[in-house]
Amino acid sequence: MNYENIICDKEQGVAQLTINRPKKLNALNRETLKEINDAIKILESDDEVKIIILTGSGEKAFVAGADIAEFADFSVEKGTELAQKGHQEVFDKIAQLKKPVIAAINGFALGGGLELAMAAHFRIASDNAKMGLPETSLGVIPGYGGTQRLTQLVGRGRALEMIMTAGMINANQALQYGLVNHVVPQDELLVFANDLAQKITKNSLVAIAYAIDAVNAFDDKKENGFKKEIENFGKSFGTNDFKEGTQAFLNKRKPSFPNS
């Protein structure tokens, strides 16, 4: 996969998708979002890829926001379309992906960058990371899921404070808030992310996909999360992974999941 603004590599079942616009601190422009959408589609259908790590190039930034110059003169209609398209083609797509996505946050994750990280299934941060939603300082609000996902992750009060002040928090604050799962030294970030990914790939990817679906139902007002859990729990019994997992347990051996 050859792209202008992202790099996509894969090894041992793990794909690393890197936003690569270092001169712009990896800011998201329309072309970059298109490339992310395209790469996610390919990785989703690639049977060799079991998990995706999302990160930014260099040590300064994961993604330092959206490319403001692209939408500075937008009308109400164009602004609405921008947010809607972003949700459908990138942010919601990542959140609903059946394959696990880990965001490895190196440096600044601001605005659309933090929204991209929050769309991932969970987040790891380097100790120099800074996170925030500065949109209100530009006279606008987060438009790629920030108001919703931040509230779900850190609670209403902290989310509103971050949005209203347009300020940044550091990695340790993000860990305290529950915004990230782990904080590690900068030079250990991707090693740590890959180690976690390898642990995940040893489990049933079919069961993981059902779990992601059930957890996402918690956030969906139209879904009953408990009902979805019961449904997906039942479906698990019809999979080859369930047969392998239970037989491996009963025979005191490690499972070798067919992921089917």
Side-chain angles (χ1 to χ4, degrees):
M1 291 181 280
N2 295 314
Y3 298 103
E4 291 292 325
N5 301 307
I6 65 173
I7 300 169
C8 203
D9 300 305
K10 62 179 181 178
E11 186 177 352
Q12 294 183 304
V14 179
Q16 182 174 309
L17 197 164
T18 305
I19 315 301
N20 187 39
R21 299 183 74 212
K23 291 181 180 179
K24 296 284 188 179
L25 293 179
N26 303 324
L28 297 175
N29 60 0
R30 280 174 288 188
E31 188 57 37
T32 303
L33 290 171
K34 285 180 185 177
E35 290 184 5
I36 293 171
N37 175 39
D38 181 65
I40 291 294
K41 282 181 182 177
I42 293 170
L43 295 174
E44 185 177 23
S45 61
D46 187 339
D47 291 337
E48 292 182 4
V49 174
K50 297 179 173 67
I51 190 165
I52 300 166
I53 295 172
L54 191 60
T55 194
S57 64
E59 297 182 354
K60 291 183 178 179
F62 171 75
V63 172
D67 199 329
I68 297 165
E70 282 198 340
F71 61 79
D73 61 349
F74 271 20
S75 64
V76 171
E77 291 75 20
K78 282 188 176 181
T80 303
E81 182 185 358
L82 178 72
Q84 188 171 42
K85 193 173 182 181
H87 275 268
Q88 292 171 347
E89 296 186 358
V90 177
F91 297 85
D92 288 352
K93 180 172 285 187
I94 290 171
Q96 294 162 9
L97 203 68
K98 292 182 178 180
K99 296 182 179 182
V101 182
I102 302 173
I105 303 172
N106 49 313
F108 292 109
L110 305 175
L114 181 55
E115 291 174 300
L116 186 65
M118 290 192 294
H121 297 124
F122 63 91
R123 288 144 293 285
I124 303 161
S126 61
D127 52 10
N128 70 327
K130 304 272 190 186
M131 288 159 253
L133 295 175
E135 284 87 349
T136 58
S137 68
L138 301 172
V140 70
I141 71 167
Y144 288 142
T147 62
Q148 304 303 298
R149 293 194 175 100
L150 185 63
T151 302
Q152 291 158 5
L153 288 165
V154 308
R156 179 185 177 91
R158 281 179 170 153
L160 282 169
E161 180 181 350
M162 287 178 66
I163 292 167
M164 289 177 180
T165 62
M168 292 185 290
I169 61 172
N170 62 34
N172 286 327
Q173 285 175 291
L175 182 63
Q176 179 190 350
Y177 286 7
L179 183 52
V180 301
N181 290 30
H182 303 277
V183 175
V184 298
Q186 171 83 48
D187 59 355
E188 297 177 17
L189 179 66
L190 291 177
V191 173
F192 188 88
N194 273 285
D195 285 347
L196 267 179
Q198 290 303 326
K199 288 179 182 178
I200 292 169
T201 60
K202 292 177 183 177
N203 299 318
S204 164
L205 298 182
V206 176
I208 286 170
Y210 282 146
I212 290 170
D213 186 43
V215 171
N216 282 343
F218 176 82
D219 303 325
D220 190 339
K221 300 295 187 295
K222 297 176 183 176
E223 286 271 16
N224 181 306
F226 290 104
K227 184 178 179 181
K228 177 60 69 174
E229 180 184 282
I230 292 166
E231 177 187 329
N232 287 0
F233 177 78
K235 286 180 180 177
S236 300
F237 283 74
T239 68
N240 291 321
D241 279 16
F242 173 73
K243 294 173 186 174
E244 168 60 16
T246 51
Q247 286 303 307
F249 177 82
L250 294 171
N251 290 295
K252 298 181 180 179
R253 62 174 174 81
K254 290 184 179 180
S256 178
F257 289 112
N259 292 315
S260 63

